[in-house]
Structures are given as structure tokens and as C-alpha cells.
Amino acid sequence: PKPKPERKVVKMIKNNPDIDSALNHVFMDRYPADAVRKLEQLKPVEAGEILKTKSLGTAMKVWRRFSPYFGARVLKEMDLDYRIMLLGQIEPNFGASFLKALDEETRLETLELIRERFVKNDLIRAMSYQEDSAGALMDARAMYFRPDMTVGEVIAILRGRPHGMYRKLYTVDDENQLHGIIDIEDVALADHTHTLSTLERHNPVCV
């Protein structure tokens, strides 16, 4: 027999003891920004399995704080029913930021299956006018990080990406608004214990 989803989640958390305390229901509900920082260190499929075990109200607090890039990757791992439920409940600007970062095939497939016309129209409209969001200002393939992440944490994530793919990294705040820009060379040369906030420069036009 296949293992139950709950057992998979428990095993997953046991294999990642450093995130154990950050992923219990109470912590995630009260401190969603801290929970997001922990979840974004996991593989998207692992983060998705954990979110499936939470109530929609608690999970929504986390979805609203995901960077567009990571949120899109987690959304892609969810079954279509969950995607449609989430996009029907979350504010259109958040849903649109995830959809814009998805590959075209997955984005169109998801939109096609949304039955509520007003939900679909709101998402399409939001995708067209999000000029002041990080998702609109940057390419969907860009990497978004939190300013308080350490250089060591970021390097660990970048090791899984093709070499030379990124020249700049971007930081976003808890509302996913663009916070700063960092040259990849500065990250490579920095002390691994330093946070990105010590390296970022702020864009005077967009921030």
C-alpha cells in the first residue's frame, strides 16, 4: 500500500530537523513570514506537500508571502483542483504573479480550467497591470530572495542552478515588492554569514 501523505510529510520534516519547529501549524499561522523563509529552502514538491496539510486560511498567509518564482514552482507541483481553489481564493495580484512565472503551457492549462469567469478575468487583468510588483519588473526566470537570508543559504540554492544563468539577484519584502538588487559577483565574494541586506543596493525608481 502507498504511504499516507501525512506520513510522507512527517518523514520529510524528520529529514530536515532544522525546519521542524517552523512548520507546525501554530507557528505557520502566527509567523508566516518566518515559515516562508524555511519553506523556500525546501524543494517545491516538499513545500507543497506540507501546505496541503494546512488549513486554507493558514496556507493562504504563506502563499501571499512566497516570492513569485518559488510560489510558481510550488503551484506547479499542486494538483489542478488545488491550483484552481487557491487562485479562486487568493487576491488576483498574488495569483497573477505566480501565473506569470509559470511556463506558458501550465499557465494556459490552469486558466482554461477556472470556471468562474470573474476569477479568470481578474487574474488576466492583474497579469497585465502589475507594473510595480517584483514579478512585473523582472524576468520570471530571475531569482528572488529575502534580505535577511545569509549568503551561505543563497549559495546553497544557487548550486542547483545552471552555472552563469544569473548575473543579478533580487530581494523582495514580505509583500513581494522589489527591495534591492545584488550583483552575483558580490555574493560570490561575500562572507557566508553576512545577510543579503548588507550587499543589496536599492533601485531609486522602483522602490
Side-chain angles (χ1 to χ4, degrees), residues 22 25 27 34 41 50 52 59 74 85 90 93 95 102 105 124 136 157 163 168 173 194 205:
H25 183 87
F27 187 96
D34 293 324
Q41 295 176 45
I50 290 169
K52 288 177 185 177
V74 176
M85 175 192 70
I90 202 166
N93 61 312
L102 285 171
E105 181 180 353
I124 293 173
I157 294 173
H163 179 70
K168 297 183 185 298
D173 60 23
H194 289 175
V205 175

Side-chain angles (χ1 to χ4, degrees), residues 54-72:
K54 308 304 176 187
S55 68
L56 182 60
T58 295
M60 200 76 76
K61 294 180 181 181
V62 171
W63 281 105
R64 290 187 182 104
R65 289 169 172 80
F66 273 148
S67 66
Y69 176 80
F70 189 79

Side-chain angles (χ1 to χ4, degrees), residues 13 19 27 30 46 63 81 84 87 96 108 110 151 170-171 181 189 192:
I13 292 176
I19 65 165
F27 187 96
R30 293 183 180 178
E46 294 175 337
W63 281 105
D81 287 341
I84 293 168
L87 293 171
L108 294 177
T110 303
V151 169
Y170 302 89
T171 57
I181 304 173
L189 297 173
H192 284 204

Side-chain angles (χ1 to χ4, degrees), residues 78-104:
M78 300 304 213
D79 58 63
L80 279 170
D81 287 341
Y82 188 99
R83 284 188 228 164
I84 293 168
M85 175 192 70
L86 177 72
L87 293 171
Q89 296 294 322
I90 202 166
E91 294 85 346
N93 61 312
F94 291 113
S97 71
F98 300 145
L99 287 171
K100 288 175 69 175
L102 285 171
D103 61 272
E104 185 177 8

Side-chain angles (χ1 to χ4, degrees), residues 18-196:
D18 58 313
I19 65 165
D20 188 10
S21 63
L23 296 180
N24 69 67
H25 183 87
V26 174
F27 187 96
M28 189 177 288
D29 188 63
R30 293 183 180 178
Y31 308 104
D34 293 324
V36 164
R37 281 189 280 272
K38 298 297 184 180
L39 285 168
E40 289 185 340
Q41 295 176 45
L42 297 176
K43 295 178 180 178
V45 65
E46 294 175 337
E49 288 293 338
I50 290 169
L51 286 173
K52 288 177 185 177
T53 68
K54 308 304 176 187
S55 68
L56 182 60
T58 295
M60 200 76 76
K61 294 180 181 181
V62 171
W63 281 105
R64 290 187 182 104
R65 289 169 172 80
F66 273 148
S67 66
Y69 176 80
F70 189 79
R73 294 176 68 205
V74 176
L75 189 66
K76 187 173 181 178
E77 296 294 340
M78 300 304 213
D79 58 63
L80 279 170
D81 287 341
Y82 188 99
R83 284 188 228 164
I84 293 168
M85 175 192 70
L86 177 72
L87 293 171
Q89 296 294 322
I90 202 166
E91 294 85 346
N93 61 312
F94 291 113
S97 71
F98 300 145
L99 287 171
K100 288 175 69 175
L102 285 171
D103 61 272
E104 185 177 8
E105 181 180 353
T106 304
R107 179 170 61 250
L108 294 177
E109 175 189 37
T110 303
L111 283 170
E112 180 68 24
L113 292 174
I114 296 176
R115 300 304 180 194
E116 293 82 359
R117 184 177 296 180
F118 74 92
V119 172
K120 183 184 296 188
N121 289 342
D122 283 349
L123 287 167
I124 293 173
R125 188 179 305 112
M127 282 191 288
S128 70
Y129 64 52
Q130 277 188 290
E131 288 86 4
D132 62 342
S133 70
L137 290 167
M138 298 173 286
D139 188 277
R141 294 168 298 174
M143 292 292 285
Y144 310 90
F145 298 97
R146 307 295 175 185
D148 59 355
M149 290 182 69
T150 67
V151 169
E153 290 173 334
V154 172
I155 289 176
I157 294 173
L158 291 176
R159 284 198 182 106
R161 310 291 174 209
H163 179 70
M165 184 173 181
Y166 304 102
R167 295 182 179 181
K168 297 183 185 298
L169 304 179
Y170 302 89
T171 57
V172 292
D173 60 23
D174 288 342
E175 302 302 322
N176 284 330
Q177 297 301 305
L178 181 64
H179 191 271
I181 304 173
I182 306 169
D183 291 325
I184 192 67
E185 292 85 356
D186 292 338
V187 174
L189 297 173
D191 188 303
H192 284 204
T193 63
H194 289 175
T195 62
L196 295 186

Side-chain angles (χ1 to χ4, degrees), residues 4-16:
K4 293 182 178 180
E6 294 81 1
R7 292 178 183 173
K8 289 172 62 180
V9 172
V10 169
K11 182 179 179 182
M12 191 185 308
I13 292 176
K14 286 182 177 178
N15 290 337
N16 296 276

